[in-house]
Structure formats: C-alpha cells, structure tokens
Amino acid sequence: MSRTPKSSKSSDKGQLKPAEINVIRKIVKDQILVPDNNPFRGSQKEFSDVLSLFRRAMEQGESNSALLIGPRGTGKSRLVQSVIKFLEEDCAAFDDSVIVRLNGYVHTDDRLALKGIATQLQLENTLGDRVFGSFAENLSFLLQCLKEGNREHSKSVIFILDEFDLFCQHQNQTLLYNLFDVAQSAQAPICVLGITCRKDVTDFLEKRVMSRFSNRQIHLYPHANETLEEGFKNRIQLSKDLLCLKSENKKHSQLSVKVQQTWNAHIESLYSNTSVTDCLKDMYACTVCERTLRNFLLLVICKLSEDHLELTPSDFSDVFKQMRRNLRVALVEGLSILELCVLISMMHQNEIFDSAPFNFEMVYSRLLKFDLHSSKTMTVDRQVVVKAFEHLKSLEFIRPVTTSSHVLKEFQMFNLMLLTDEIREAVNNYHGLPTEVSQWAFSDYT
C-alpha cells in the first residue's frame, strides 16, 4: 500500500524520462544558439528607423545610405536580421528585392567584396570568365548592372556592410565610393547600411566618399529608453522564452503536449526561486549583452543529463560563479604587463591596509618600490602609468569611492573590485610575463 501513494506523487510531479530530457536539451540548445527563433526586444525606435529605411527602398525604390553604430554585444546584427525577418512576412515587395551581405573580416579587400556581391546577385556567370577578369572589369560590370535599372523595373538591392570600419581600410575606398555614389544619384534603387562599433568611423572616410554619404547615423545603446526595472523584467522574460518549449515550433512535435507543459511548468517554478532571479540580476548589473545571457543559459542547460533530469537553482548559481570568475580573469590576462603591474600594486596596497581605499599616488609609489628592487625592468614615464591607471578604471577593475569633481584625479580614492585569487590566477595564466613580476605577485614583499 505504501508504493501506491509514492507512484501517484511521482506522476503528479510529472517526472520526465531520460529520453525526453535528451530531446528537450537539444531543442532548447537550438533556441539559445539561433537568435531568429525569438522576437527582438527593446530599441524599438532604432528598429523602426532601420525598418523604414529598408521598406522605402523595397516598396518605393528609394536609395539611401546609413550607419548603425553601437558597442559590441548590443544587438546590431540581431536588429538588422529581425527587420529582414519582419519585412519577409509583412512586405509584399520583399521577393522583388535582393539582400547582399558583406563582412569586413571576410571581404578584406575590394576584389573579394566585388566577388561576394557578384555571387549574391547571381551575376558571376553572366559573362563567363569576363566577370572575374580584373578588378576594373568587375567594378564596371557590376556598376553597369546597377545603373542600367530604374525604380519602376529594377529590383531593390540592400547592401549590409558588417564591420564597416574595416571597409574604410581598403585602398582608395573604391567600393564605398561607388556604392554611395549610386545611392546618392538614385541611378538604381539601392540602400547601403554599414554596421560598426566605432563612433568615429566617419573620420576614416575620404572626403570624396563622405560627400556621397547621406551622413545618417542610427545609434544603438543597450536599453537606452528603459528603466533598470523594465530592462531586467525584459531580461527575465527573454531567458524564460529561451528555456521554454513553444508549441508552434515544428521541432517540438516529437514531444507530447503533456511533456512540453511539464517542462514549461518546471521552468516557471525555477524562476519563482529568488536565487535564480538574483543570479540573473547580478549578471544584468555586470552586462546587458544578450550574447552573455545566451552563453550562460547554454551552460546551464548542459547540466541536464540522464542522471540529472531537471534543473535546480544551484545549477544557475554554480554556472554564474564560474562564468563571472572566468570572465574577470580573462580580462586581466588581456592587460599589458604595465597594467598588470599596476593591478598587482593595488593588490598589495589592499593587503597592507586591509582593503582601505587608495589613490593613484599610493599605487604609483608602490610601483616605484617594485621598480627599485627589480633591476629597473619597469622604468616607464609617469604619464604612461596614469594612462594604464585610467584604463583599469574604464574596465571597472577599480571603482571611485566618490564622484566629487573638486578632487584632482591623482588623489581621487578608489576601491579594487578584483579578488587577490583572481589576479594571481591571471598571473599564472599570463604568457611571457617576466619572472620578477610573477614572483612579486605571489610574494609577501610589498
């Protein structure tokens, strides 16, 4: 009689089977890794601006050019892809348009870029070998194809130039000049959108190129129009969407409705746990980058196995601790030797004065003591050390105690935001670090 209630309780809980968990893990991984599976959130004004730009090119044959500028990880490429997906479903002229994608890391010179354009426009075999005969022939042929059209009878062409600042390094900027020239003269319905993280990218354009650019810039900042509370609420909803199963997804047909409901109920119960939401809140305070969230959830979902059939709050907290530590250590490993020495000076300053706030003069004095005992290996100009100190501040390895503007920057007090173990782990992993610096990091000499 005792076994019956236990079986009933297990049934009510809806325990999933190992085979079902394997399928769920595969589906959720796909949702996390493929951004197109989830709707674009936030930055509605910027989304509307890019949408209007593309729609006018497709429906009205309007030529234009613009730049989409924003820090890495803010979702620039994701925004553009979401606009294209929206137009594919909503714009009747989408099928009569062509989208050409170029990337500065792939198309490293104009010749490769022209070849990529010809391939995506399906023009590479139009004139046999003549298309790729020479750079001049490529350029003249493609421009002729673009210029011979008109708004009534030509397909609109959308050029998306990812890592736009790298195209500015091409010799004479020939490709950019001609694309902007065609767009400005409205010889053919084309729209050129450059995507870059460089705010000063227009300074790299030659005068003749700049004169043909519309100078329209769309700036994308993470959750600029949201309060912190609204942004975190959207972040929670996004993470739920990434982990939950959606009935409209065809891949989910291999799972029964009951299994999907059981899994989704399990995810909802997880997000009612404060330790899970606290992890996401701490991560959101560190970075609003959606890519970081997806990497985090991917590591969490990988915890599932035949021996671990459901996620627990400890899975979230363990992954977050590991991820936060790894990210901080990786950033320290990317510092220059001088910056690392300044960081070690701060670490010893904390050890001596029990984590009391410090200023630049204190750190610089400690660095000079090390320099005195290390055969002058770190002899550098004071202003160079100031620059290194400011770089550590920009990385938020140190944080000012107050924001008073009446104190000289050399005497402004800071707190170190890194742990001693993190700095020493980075020193251990640092390739090519001088022996005396490594010994200094692990010594009691301060």
Side-chain angles (χ1 to χ4, degrees):
M1 294 297 293
S2 61
R3 293 183 180 179
T4 303
K6 185 176 180 181
S7 176
S8 175
K9 185 177 180 181
S10 176
S11 177
D12 290 340
K13 186 179 178 180
Q15 183 71 45
L16 298 173
K17 300 176 182 178
E20 295 168 340
I21 286 296
N22 289 335
V23 175
I24 290 173
R25 184 175 60 184
K26 183 177 180 180
I27 292 173
V28 174
K29 279 184 178 180
D30 182 63
Q31 290 182 173
I32 294 172
L33 293 171
V34 183
D36 294 347
N37 291 340
N38 296 278
F40 181 81
R41 289 182 175 85
S43 307
Q44 291 305 311
K45 181 182 181 301
E46 292 76 13
F47 179 90
S48 178
D49 289 342
V50 177
L51 177 63
S52 174
L53 193 73
F54 286 2
R55 187 187 290 276
R56 291 201 303 270
M58 292 179 178
E59 294 181 345
Q60 304 171 20
E62 179 181 314
S63 296
N64 212 329
S65 56
L67 289 176
L68 180 60
I69 303 174
R72 294 197 183 278
T74 53
K76 300 183 295 296
S77 299
R78 174 81 192 284
L79 183 148
V80 172
Q81 184 59 34
S82 299
V83 168
I84 292 172
K85 186 175 181 181
F86 181 86
L87 289 171
E88 186 177 3
E89 300 172 354
D90 185 67
C91 180
F94 183 85
D95 293 337
D96 293 327
S97 304
V98 180
I99 296 176
V100 176
R101 304 169 187 269
L102 301 176
N103 191 297
Y105 286 122
V106 177
H107 305 95
T108 53
D109 56 42
D110 284 349
R111 183 183 297 277
L112 289 174
L114 286 171
K115 188 172 182 179
I117 294 172
T119 301
Q120 294 180 59
L121 291 178
Q122 299 181 354
L123 297 173
E124 68 272 25
N125 296 320
T126 304
L127 293 179
D129 296 334
R130 280 191 56 195
V131 175
F132 299 127
S134 68
F135 177 82
E137 288 181 9
N138 280 339
L139 182 60
S140 60
F141 171 69
L142 289 174
L143 290 177
Q144 183 181 2
C145 291
L146 292 175
K147 294 178 181 179
E148 282 183 350
N150 54 62
R151 294 187 180 185
E152 290 75 21
H153 302 95
S154 292
K155 284 189 174 184
S156 298
V157 184
I158 308 293
F159 288 91
I160 300 173
L161 309 183
D162 214 343
E163 304 297 339
F164 179 83
D165 50 291
L166 298 182
F167 286 95
C168 299
Q169 300 176 13
H170 292 188
Q171 186 176 7
N172 299 326
Q173 299 181 359
T174 307
L175 177 70
L176 295 181
Y177 171 79
N178 285 283
L179 287 179
F180 287 155
D181 184 57
V182 174
Q184 185 193 49
S185 60
Q187 294 169 315
I190 77 167
C191 175
V192 183
L193 177 68
I195 304 175
T196 180
C197 61
R198 296 291 300 263
K199 291 186 66 174
D200 58 346
V201 67
T202 54
D203 295 340
F204 304 149
L205 295 176
E206 295 181 1
K207 288 184 178 180
R208 65 188 188 114
V209 179
M210 191 63 189
S211 66
R212 284 159 175 77
F213 173 51
S214 68
N215 206 27
R216 179 174 184 176
Q217 299 180 17
I218 303 171
H219 291 268
L220 183 64
Y221 297 104
H223 312 291
N225 300 320
E226 295 177 341
T227 63
L228 186 62
E229 184 178 353
E230 292 172 342
F232 179 64
K233 185 177 179 180
N234 289 334
R235 178 54 55 93
I236 290 289
Q237 188 59 50
L238 172 60
S239 59
K240 282 185 182 179
D241 290 346
L242 290 172
L243 293 178
C244 286
L245 301 176
K246 305 176 183 64
S247 56
E248 64 271 11
N249 193 324
K250 295 180 181 179
K251 293 182 180 180
H252 298 174
S253 59
Q254 50 192 310
L255 296 172
S256 66
V257 175
K258 184 178 179 181
V259 170
Q260 296 181 38
Q261 291 174 346
T262 302
W263 173 258
N264 291 343
H266 169 55
I267 296 300
E268 288 292 340
S269 66
L270 269 177
Y271 277 82
S272 63
N273 189 294
T274 53
S275 62
V276 172
T277 54
D278 285 345
C279 281
L280 293 172
K281 185 177 293 184
D282 290 343
M283 183 186 301
Y284 189 74
C286 294
T287 175
V288 297
C289 177
E290 185 178 312
R291 188 182 299 121
T292 302
L293 173 67
R294 290 175 180 272
N295 292 338
F296 169 75
L297 295 178
L298 188 63
L299 293 174
V300 170
I301 206 66
C302 285
K303 294 278 188 180
L304 290 175
S305 65
E306 294 183 356
D307 300 324
H308 190 70
L309 297 177
E310 60 180 20
L311 298 176
T312 62
S314 61
D315 291 333
F316 282 78
S317 57
D318 291 345
V319 170
F320 177 65
K321 288 177 183 177
Q322 175 190 2
M323 194 172 179
R324 178 174 60 182
R325 182 179 182 86
N326 289 347
L327 284 172
R328 286 151 66 107
V329 171
L331 282 173
V332 176
E333 290 174 17
L335 297 175
S336 68
I337 294 178
L338 173 61
E339 290 165 345
L340 185 58
C341 286
V342 174
L343 207 54
I344 294 172
S345 299
M346 297 172 182
M347 179 188 74
H348 285 313
Q349 184 76 19
N350 265 11
E351 291 174 345
I352 295 172
F353 296 100
D354 196 20
S355 301
F358 54 83
N359 58 31
F360 171 79
E361 293 297 336
M362 297 176 185
V363 174
Y364 185 62
S365 174
R366 195 153 303 283
L367 187 64
L368 289 179
K369 288 181 181 180
F370 165 67
D371 184 34
L372 186 64
H373 291 81
S374 62
S375 303
K376 305 291 182 181
T377 57
M378 291 303 300
T379 302
V380 291
D381 186 73
R382 176 189 171 90
Q383 290 302 316
V384 178
V385 181
V386 170
K387 289 294 183 182
F389 190 89
E390 291 176 348
H391 185 223
L392 295 176
K393 177 184 174 183
S394 69
L395 291 173
E396 297 186 356
F397 288 159
I398 56 175
R399 185 171 294 174
V401 176
T402 62
T403 57
S404 175
S405 59
H406 302 292
V407 180
L408 293 175
K409 63 180 182 179
E410 289 85 355
F411 299 99
Q412 187 177 8
M413 304 304 290
F414 291 87
N415 285 322
L416 181 62
M417 308 308 295
L418 293 172
L419 301 175
T420 299
D421 289 344
E422 292 174 336
I423 296 175
R424 285 176 171 166
E425 182 180 345
V427 169
N428 263 335
N429 300 335
Y430 201 104
H431 296 291
L433 189 66
T435 305
E436 57 267 26
V437 177
S438 179
Q439 292 175 343
W440 181 40
F442 286 91
S443 70
D444 294 329
Y445 167 72
T446 53

